Amino acid sequence: MKQRTTTALLLFLAFCAGAAAQSSRKGLKDAYKDYFWIGVAVNQRNISDETQKALICQEFNSITAENDMKPQPTEPEEGVYRWEGADRIANFCRQNGIRLRGHCLMWHNQIGRWMFTNPDGSLVDKEVLYERMRRHIHAIVGRYKDIVYCWDVVNEAITDDPNAAVPYRQSPLYEIAGEEFIEKAFEFAREADPDALLFYNDYNEADPVKSVRIAEMVRQMKEKGVPIDGIGMQGHYNIYEPSAQDVDAAIERFSHVVSHIHVTELDIRVNREMGGQLKFKRDAAAITDSIDRVHADRYAAMFRVFCKHSDVIDCVTFWNLSDRDSWLSEQNYPLLFDRNYQKKRAYDAVIKARKSYRKRRK
Ligand code: G3I
C-alpha cells in the first residue's frame, strides 16, 4: 500500500513539475490569447541564435521583418531581387507556425531611387512610377502570400508639420503623383493578394492633429473604393508621452474608419523623444529604479488601453526583441527584455495589465 502511495505522489509531483515547466514556457501570446496577437520585429540574428529563437516562439504569435522585406533590401535595382533575408524570416515563420506581418511595400525611406528616378536623376512621370511600383508589389506580395496575413502597404505618408497646408509628406513619390500613389499602392497590393489585410502605417499617430489627418485620409480613400482594411499605429512612445487618453482617443477615432487596428512598432524609450524619425538621442539618462518603475507603469497603462479596444485591435507588435536589438540602442531601454534577453519589470507589468480586463476577444 505504502509503495503505491509513494508512486502516486511521485507521479503527481512529476505532473506538477511538467505543468509548471509548461506554464513557465507560456508567454505574452498566451496571456493575451483572448485579446490580440502579440508580435515582434526580428532581424537575422534573432532567428539564428537558439536562445532568441526559443524566446520568440515562447512569447510571440506574429512576426514582422524589421528591415528585410522593405523596398530597397528586396529590390535594390530594378528587376534585381534580393530575397535571402526575407526568405529566412518567412521560412522561420512557416517552420514555427507563426503568422508574418508584411512590412512594407511603399515608403519614402529604404527604397531604391531607381523606383522614382530617370537615369539622369530627374523624377519619372507617374505612369512609369506606377509600372515600377506594381511590378515590385506583385513580386513580393506574390512570393509571401502563403505566410503573410497583412501588409503595411504605405508607411508614413502624412506630414508631422501641424501647420502644413497639405497633410501629406513631401516625398518624391508625392511630388510625382500626389496622394494618388497611396491609392495605387493599395490597388496593386489587393490585386496581388485578395486575402491579405492591407494597412496604412504611421508614427506619432496618437498626436491629436496627425491622428485626425490619418483618419480623414483613410476615410476619403475608402469612400473612393481604395481597399484599406486597417490602420497601423506604430507606437514609438516614451515614458512621458503620448498620454493614455490621446492613445485611447486615436484608437476610438480610427475605429470609426477601419475594422482593423494594429499596434505595429511598440517601444517606450526613457527620454522625451518619440516617433519613427531616424534622428534621436542615444545618450539616455542612467536607468534608476524609479525610471524602471515609470517605464513599467507606462507599458501597463498602454496595454490597459489596448485591452479596452481589443474588439478592433488584432495585434500588438514590439519593435525589436530586446534592448540590445532596438533601433533606438539599448541606452534608451525601450523594450520588455534587456540586453541579455531577460525579462524586465515592464514584462511583468504587461502580464498584470491583462488581469484588469476579463473582456473576451471579439
Ligand atoms: O544593411 C546595411 C548594411 O549593409 C550597412 O553596412 C549598414 C551600415 O551603413 O547599414 C545597413 O542598413 C541599415 C538598416 O537599418 C539595416 O540594418 C541602415 O543603415 C539603417 O538606417 C536601417 O535602420 C532601420 C530604419 O528603419 C531605417 O529607416 C532600422 O533598423 C529599423 O528599425 C527602422 O524601422 C522603421 C520602420 O521600418 C518604420 N517605422 C519607423 C521605424 C524606425 O525608424
Side-chain angles (χ1 to χ4, degrees):
M1 181 58 180
K2 193 164 177 303
Q3 174 64 23
R4 262 187 291 172
T5 311
T6 310
T7 307
L9 182 60
L10 287 175
L11 283 173
F12 175 68
L13 290 174
F15 169 76
C16 292
Q22 182 62 26
S23 69
S24 71
R25 280 196 290 276
K26 288 195 181 309
L28 295 161
K29 68 182 189 312
D30 308 291
Y32 281 91
K33 65 180 172 50
D34 295 331
Y35 294 85
F36 32 69
W37 299 315
I38 303 286
V40 63
V42 300
N43 57 40
Q44 294 298 317
R45 193 179 52 252
N46 299 145
I47 60 165
S48 318
D49 173 88
E50 290 310 317
T51 304
Q52 296 169 46
K53 285 161 67 176
L55 184 63
I56 292 167
C57 293
Q58 172 180 297
E59 299 292 340
F60 304 102
N61 47 17
S62 178
I63 277 179
T64 305
E66 180 185 14
N67 289 297
D68 290 290
M69 295 176 80
K70 290 174 178 174
Q72 198 280 337
T74 51
E75 194 175 359
E77 295 162 52
E78 186 167 12
V80 178
Y81 295 105
R82 292 265 183 278
W83 299 124
E84 305 81 12
D87 280 353
R88 274 195 290 274
I89 291 172
N91 290 334
F92 178 81
C93 290
R94 291 179 182 117
Q95 287 147 18
N96 292 285
I98 301 176
R99 56 183 65 78
L100 182 55
R101 287 198 89 257
H103 176 83
C104 51
L105 296 177
M106 279 297 125
W107 188 24
H108 62 280
N109 246 330
Q110 285 182 286
I111 183 170
R113 289 191 60 81
W114 65 265
M115 181 76 74
F116 50 82
T117 56
N118 292 305
D120 66 2
S122 61
L123 295 181
V124 297
D125 63 32
K126 69 178 185 178
E127 283 65 34
V128 173
L129 172 64
Y130 292 161
E131 269 171 43
R132 294 176 180 177
M133 280 174 56
R134 190 164 186 274
R135 229 183 351 261
H136 175 78
I137 290 172
H138 275 256
I140 188 165
V141 172
R143 186 177 183 90
Y144 299 112
K145 67 197 305 186
D146 67 300
I147 189 72
V148 168
Y149 69 104
C150 68
W151 277 99
D152 290 334
V153 176
V154 174
N155 212 35
E156 306 173 8
I158 295 288
T159 181
D160 284 316
D161 176 359
N163 305 313
V166 175
Y168 294 99
R169 179 185 296 274
Q170 299 302 298
S171 67
L173 301 174
Y174 181 81
E175 212 175 314
I176 293 168
E179 67 267 27
E180 193 184 57
F181 89 88
I182 300 169
E183 299 167 10
K184 288 294 182 185
F186 279 94
E187 181 188 318
F188 301 152
R190 177 55 73 235
E191 280 173 3
D193 187 344
D195 302 321
L197 290 176
L198 304 180
F199 282 76
Y200 172 74
N201 186 48
D202 215 329
Y203 64 81
N204 289 354
E205 73 292 331
D207 171 85
V209 173
K210 192 168 181 180
S211 73
V212 169
R213 286 175 163 170
I214 291 170
E216 193 50 21
M217 173 191 78
V218 172
R219 186 189 63 76
Q220 287 174 13
M221 289 189 176
K222 289 190 70 173
E223 266 178 12
K224 289 160 64 173
V226 179
I228 304 177
D229 299 303
I231 290 172
M233 301 175 68
Q234 290 190 9
H236 291 301
Y237 301 152
N238 65 52
I239 53 173
Y240 306 98
E241 295 177 281
S243 67
Q245 292 74 10
D246 279 356
V247 175
D248 186 280
I251 295 169
E252 192 64 37
R253 184 169 293 121
F254 297 150
S255 69
H256 294 308
V257 289
V258 290
S259 316
H260 301 273
I261 293 175
H262 285 187
V263 177
T264 54
E265 307 181 16
L266 183 61
D267 46 33
I268 297 182
R269 71 191 89 169
V270 291
N271 63 37
R272 286 196 175 276
E273 295 177 320
M274 60 182 180
Q277 304 90 326
L278 288 177
K279 291 186 180 48
F280 49 82
K281 268 201 309 194
R282 294 172 187 270
D283 54 348
I287 306 300
T288 60
D289 188 57
S290 60
I291 284 187
D292 188 32
R293 286 179 190 284
V294 169
H295 187 249
D297 292 347
R298 284 282 288 157
Y299 263 113
M302 289 302 137
F303 268 80
R304 283 194 291 273
V305 173
F306 301 156
C307 284
K308 175 183 171 188
H309 295 282
S310 60
D311 54 329
V312 68
I313 292 179
D314 304 332
C315 185
V316 176
T317 292
F318 290 90
W319 203 250
N320 302 117
L321 179 59
S322 77
D323 290 349
R324 174 191 295 189
D325 305 297
S326 176
W327 68 291
L328 291 165
S329 81
E330 70 179 275
Q331 288 89 322
N332 273 302
Y333 202 70
L335 295 162
L336 302 189
F337 296 95
D338 67 19
R339 58 169 290 108
N340 299 314
Y341 300 93
Q342 300 306 305
K343 295 171 183 172
K344 292 156 62 177
R345 192 194 302 263
Y347 180 96
D348 297 326
V350 166
I351 293 288
K352 287 196 191 90
R354 190 259 308 162
K355 294 198 174 81
S356 342
Y357 279 83
R358 289 277 168 266
K359 188 163 119 181
R360 293 277 164 203
R361 198 167 144 74
K362 47 189 175 290

